[in-house]
Amino acid sequence: LVSLRQVIAPPAQGRRGRAHLFDRDGSFSVVFPPGQARRKIENVGKDKAFSEKDGSGSYYQECGPGLFCLTQSTTSPNEPSLAVDPADPSHLVMAWRQFDSVASGHRTAGSATSDDGGCSWQVRGAIGGDAFRSDPVLAALGGGRFAYAGLIDGFEGVDVFVSDDGGTSWRLGGPAFGGDKPWMAADRNHQTLYLTWDDTPSCCGRRTFSRSLDGGESFEEPVEIPMVPELGTVAAGLDGEVYVAGLLEDFSIGVARADLPYDAERPPEFETATVDFPGDFPVTEPPNPGGLSTQVWIAADHSTGPFRGSVYLATGIDPSGPDPLDIMVSRSDDRGRSWTAPVSVFQDTIATW
């Protein structure tokens, strides 16, 4: 795994963070790396520059009221998405939300590529220039083609960009549809892209699924999925079927499946089934201090192993008791018709957060 801090070049010597939030005595706290004590930086007046660094050359940047955290960049990238070239697993493409600064709400679509499995990266610049882009997601179509989907300003649409040279350069694809929390998956065998999103805010109400049958050059009018799954993801199955997982209208976790979704002669038709998780779906609860607490993930096994063709579902669940969140996984061996009893990924030793 690679951190965005390793992708973005570290700041030049002497770059400074700025202090805005302080304790009453005019000092603020600094969070040092593991093994080092937290301490105060004294006598720093409001709006004066701060330039404290440890022996590694890393700088500290404001990350909360009165707190500075270790960082190597003041440009604030987050929400990375990673895609792997199916013909060359050492070739990777990454995209992320690139903020101007920690104080700015404007973000663009940062991008980078790696030719050595992530050991080094070449930053390629913002996909689509300086326009607002958010919630990035990448998909690999094969043959050096990658697709990027990003939320546009207003949160009621998605732009899709296509790269034909492995992520080095990007061009705008066909007009697409979308809304908040978009997700995208590729069926490489049929050069098809599947795009899904939440119903509010969005372009098209309850119609939250669209497909591209030509690798991102055009997108069809969206269709409705029964029970409108949201806050989730989409995956292409072994036989070309498509799965959309998410939180359903009745607040249960569910999976919708459409067979032959690449058939240009008919629109996708979905069947939705619920999966029984032992607890509630926590939308915006601890331990995450802001934003979503979890998301519904789905993936299909395309390997040659013993579970080839199986489908996996993972999400955070708030179980009974003081523990607010467990990560649980369930598996289907019959294309989503039935699911195993969910199991916890780990045993949480912290009773409360």
Side-chain angles (χ1 to χ4, degrees), residues 3-44:
S3 166
L4 279 179
R5 301 301 186 193
Q6 296 171 279
V7 178
I8 305 297
Q13 189 72 11
R15 174 174 289 185
R16 301 175 179 183
R18 292 194 64 84
H20 298 284
L21 298 174
F22 297 86
D23 296 336
R24 290 183 178 179
D25 60 1
S27 63
F28 57 87
S29 300
V30 175
V31 181
F32 282 86
Q36 298 186 31
R38 177 181 298 185
R39 67 180 178 87
K40 297 281 189 176
I41 302 297
E42 305 293 344
N43 302 321
V44 180

Side-chain angles (χ1 to χ4, degrees), residues 57-123:
S58 297
Y59 287 76
Y60 298 93
Q61 173 181 323
E62 187 178 72
C63 61
L67 294 179
F68 271 61
C69 297
L70 178 66
T71 181
Q72 287 187 320
S73 172
T74 59
T75 53
S76 310
N78 65 12
E79 293 193 4
S81 180
L82 186 70
V84 181
D85 189 334
D88 179 10
S90 65
H91 182 71
L92 311 177
V93 178
M94 186 184 290
W96 60 87
R97 300 200 308 176
Q98 182 67 57
F99 288 83
D100 296 333
S101 72
V102 293
S104 172
H106 180 74
R107 55 264 205 191
T108 58
S111 69
T113 61
S114 173
D115 291 317
D116 53 14
C119 293
S120 63
W121 292 84
Q122 175 66 48
V123 176

Side-chain angles (χ1 to χ4, degrees), residues 227-288:
M227 300 186 75
V228 196
E230 62 180 16
L231 304 178
T233 53
V234 58
L238 184 64
D239 298 324
E241 73 277 18
V242 64
Y243 300 92
V244 179
L247 181 68
L248 303 182
E249 289 179 308
D250 62 359
F251 294 96
S252 63
I253 306 298
V255 177
R257 189 193 77 244
D259 294 326
L260 303 176
Y262 50 83
D263 185 354
E265 299 302 318
R266 64 175 191 175
E269 297 179 355
F270 285 90
E271 296 181 358
T272 303
T274 59
V275 183
D276 187 17
F277 280 87
D280 298 323
F281 183 90
V283 179
T284 55
E285 301 293 338
N288 186 8

Side-chain angles (χ1 to χ4, degrees), residues 31 34 37 43 54-55 57 64-65 80 144 148 154 168 181 186 190 260 262 265 268 278 285 302 322 331 348:
V31 181
N43 302 321
D54 64 8
Y148 161 93
T168 300
K181 307 294 185 295
H190 300 94
L260 303 176
Y262 50 83
E265 299 302 318
E285 301 293 338
H302 289 256
R331 188 185 79 240
D348 197 345

Side-chain angles (χ1 to χ4, degrees), residues 15 50 79 109-110 188 205 226 262 307 313 337 348:
R15 174 174 289 185
F50 165 70
E79 293 193 4
R188 296 190 294 270
Y262 50 83
F307 293 101
L313 189 66
R337 295 182 179 88
D348 197 345

